[in-house]
Amino acid sequence: DVPFKCSSGCFDHILHATQGLVTRAYTDELWNMALSKIIAVLRTHSSYCDDPDLVLELKNLIVIFADTLQGFGFPVNRLFDLLFEVRDQYNETLLKKWALVFREIFELDNYSPIPVETEEEYKLVVSRFPFHDAEIEKQDFPKKLPMSQSVPQIYTQVKEFIYASLKFSESLHRSSTEIDDMLRKSTNLLLTRTLSSCLQNLIKKPHIGLTELVQIIINTTHLEQACRYLEEFITNITNVSPETVHTTRLYGLSTFKDARHAAEGEIYTKLNQKIDEFIQLADYEWGMAESDGRASGYLMDLINFLRSTFQVFTHLPGKVAQTACMSACKHLSTSLMQMLLDTELKQISMGAIQQFNLDVIQCECDWPSSICDR
């Protein structure tokens, strides 16, 4: 910095002390040429940087450089325009970093309600995540909170991202409104792009079963409810009221709703796939002389599975549980009908029809209709 500072001083001294030997136009042309080369080098090298700390360090150097040259009377608007490009690059590196953080959190989650043994454990959880439930608060210890451990971890990491994003705004001579807008836009990208992508990938993973999907739906519900606290968190940092006309709102609501709908759809798909697995075990003897007098074993196993599964669904919103139940009912009835209409089936004995009828009656009698009627 020192040699450049001295040379700038020399330009200023020559301009005022040599009576036209060096003109302002000459110094401006020389500065514009130097500035173009500087910006080209900074733009090229910053585009390859994937470490947010290094990008932040580069930003700080550009700010110092720009403030120094501005003090000598040189126009530095192009440098501050470059900072907007560097800011975008910084946000991209942050998003990539937090994508890894989110994925690790999801991989380590056990997708079970958080157990709390003592008052201290309960306070520790709610200090990290804004959870309030009057009924659960009345319960004696030990007790369980409805969300799994990934929820407070994700919430905490979103706040850490906001802090990291704020660092770029320091020393940029921006108003509180501009800083607030930058924070909200970068947080929106984190929620709608990074976190949303991680959730969608998680839902599609083969090892995520019905129980895990139910927990994911519960988790996204609580994260959606917590978005308003993230809005307040940004407001407390910037002191800009969310009621301001041009304030950008957080889009976390749509992110978690989309993830929840994807999880619901995956529940219906996996449930039908499980029914298909039981159906494949059906081995009707279509020429049997008489029925066994009781429902087939595969069907009893299927009904027991559905009963235990639908019990887990009681934690879901009523419409979701009801749709899952009705979807399973329709899929099973269609599959049974397809057995009878199979083109390869040439002949059916009366005994086989009686056995099939027993299975259908068993479905009617034992189907867990309490869930469907919710």
Side-chain angles (χ1 to χ4, degrees):
D1 286 343
V2 175
F4 197 100
K5 189 172 181 179
C6 289
S7 64
S8 300
C10 290
F11 281 138
D12 188 65
H13 176 73
I14 292 172
L15 185 64
H16 291 88
T18 57
Q19 298 181 350
L21 181 62
V22 176
T23 64
R24 169 60 68 180
Y26 173 77
T27 59
D28 288 346
E29 181 182 356
L30 190 60
W31 167 242
N32 285 330
M33 180 180 65
L35 187 58
S36 296
K37 292 183 178 180
I38 292 169
I39 289 176
V41 171
L42 290 174
R43 180 180 286 123
T44 299
H45 288 280
S46 65
S47 64
Y48 292 109
C49 185
D50 57 3
D51 184 342
D53 292 333
L54 288 179
V55 179
L56 192 62
E57 185 176 346
L58 174 63
K59 165 257 172 180
N60 291 332
L61 291 174
I62 293 174
V63 170
I64 293 173
F65 180 68
D67 287 346
T68 301
L69 271 294
Q70 191 173 40
F72 286 112
F74 289 91
V76 293
N77 289 340
R78 291 172 62 191
L79 282 173
F80 281 103
D81 290 340
L82 175 64
L83 282 173
F84 282 104
E85 297 180 31
V86 177
R87 182 195 66 189
D88 293 339
Q89 176 66 17
Y90 178 68
N91 282 337
E92 286 299 319
T93 60
L94 287 183
L95 292 174
K96 290 178 181 178
K97 177 180 178 180
W98 258 264
L100 296 176
V101 171
F102 290 152
R103 282 201 290 267
E104 183 177 10
I105 289 174
F106 289 139
E107 288 173 4
L108 297 178
D109 196 2
N110 59 9
Y111 297 99
S112 300
I114 299 175
V116 285
E117 302 291 332
T118 63
E119 181 73 25
E120 289 71 24
E121 289 185 14
Y122 178 80
K123 289 181 178 179
L124 180 62
V125 174
V126 297
S127 68
R128 298 168 56 205
F129 180 77
F131 174 76
H132 307 285
D133 188 300
E135 292 300 320
I136 293 180
E137 289 175 1
K138 293 176 182 177
Q139 296 175 8
D140 296 329
F141 291 98
K143 53 189 173 184
K144 292 182 178 181
L145 306 185
M147 63 278 190
S148 66
Q149 61 188 8
S150 65
V151 171
Q153 292 172 348
I154 291 293
Y155 182 80
T156 299
Q157 284 302 320
V158 172
K159 292 172 68 175
E160 290 297 321
F161 174 89
I162 294 172
Y163 277 130
S165 182
L166 178 64
K167 289 181 180 179
F168 196 92
S169 302
E170 296 173 351
S171 305
L172 285 186
H173 315 300
R174 298 293 176 183
S175 67
S176 297
T177 302
E178 290 175 301
I179 293 174
D180 183 271
D181 187 60
M182 285 189 287
L183 284 181
R184 292 176 186 272
K185 286 181 177 178
S186 60
T187 304
N188 274 333
L189 281 176
L190 179 74
L191 295 175
T192 61
R193 198 172 84 186
T194 305
L195 182 55
S196 176
S197 177
C198 290
L199 281 168
Q200 296 292 340
N201 290 335
L202 171 68
I203 290 166
K204 295 294 183 180
K205 286 185 177 295
H207 71 276
I208 297 296
L210 291 168
T211 301
E212 288 81 7
L213 288 169
V214 170
Q215 187 61 59
I216 289 172
I217 290 175
I218 295 171
N219 288 352
T220 54
T221 300
H222 286 283
L223 285 169
E224 179 183 333
Q225 294 170 352
C227 278
R228 64 187 181 92
Y229 295 100
L230 290 175
E231 295 241 8
E232 292 176 4
F233 179 70
I234 295 176
T235 298
N236 291 335
I237 291 176
T238 62
N239 290 321
V240 175
S241 172
E243 307 303 325
T244 303
V245 175
H246 299 294
T247 298
T248 302
R249 304 307 300 264
L250 294 186
Y251 302 137
L253 298 179
S254 61
T255 293
F256 299 123
K257 283 181 179 177
D258 291 344
R260 191 158 55 251
H261 291 158
E264 292 168 4
E266 197 66 17
I267 282 179
Y268 309 145
T269 299
K270 286 186 180 293
L271 189 58
N272 290 344
Q273 288 174 347
K274 198 68 178 177
I275 291 174
D276 289 339
E277 292 177 13
F278 282 98
I279 293 293
Q280 290 172 5
L281 299 176
D283 187 20
Y284 285 103
E285 184 183 344
W286 297 110
M288 63 193 309
E290 59 182 25
S291 69
D292 294 336
R294 60 181 182 277
S296 302
Y298 86 91
L299 191 67
M300 293 304 301
D301 291 340
L302 171 57
I303 290 176
N304 289 333
F305 162 76
L306 290 173
R307 185 178 290 111
S308 62
T309 299
F310 290 156
Q311 191 61 40
V312 176
F313 287 178
T314 57
H315 301 293
L316 291 174
K319 185 177 179 181
V320 179
Q322 186 182 58
T323 302
C325 180
M326 297 302 296
S327 173
C329 180
K330 183 177 180 179
H331 187 74
L332 177 57
S333 64
T334 301
S335 299
L336 291 173
M337 181 65 72
Q338 287 175 346
M339 285 187 189
L340 290 178
L341 301 179
D342 189 346
T343 56
E344 295 184 4
L345 184 57
K346 304 302 182 183
Q347 186 175 357
I348 307 177
S349 67
M350 185 57 68
I353 292 178
Q354 291 173 347
Q355 181 62 47
F356 196 86
N357 187 52
L358 283 174
D359 292 343
V360 174
I361 293 174
Q362 192 70 45
C363 289
E364 293 175 338
C365 294
D366 281 2
W367 191 261
S369 58
S370 59
I371 298 295
C372 295
D373 295 338
R374 284 178 64 191

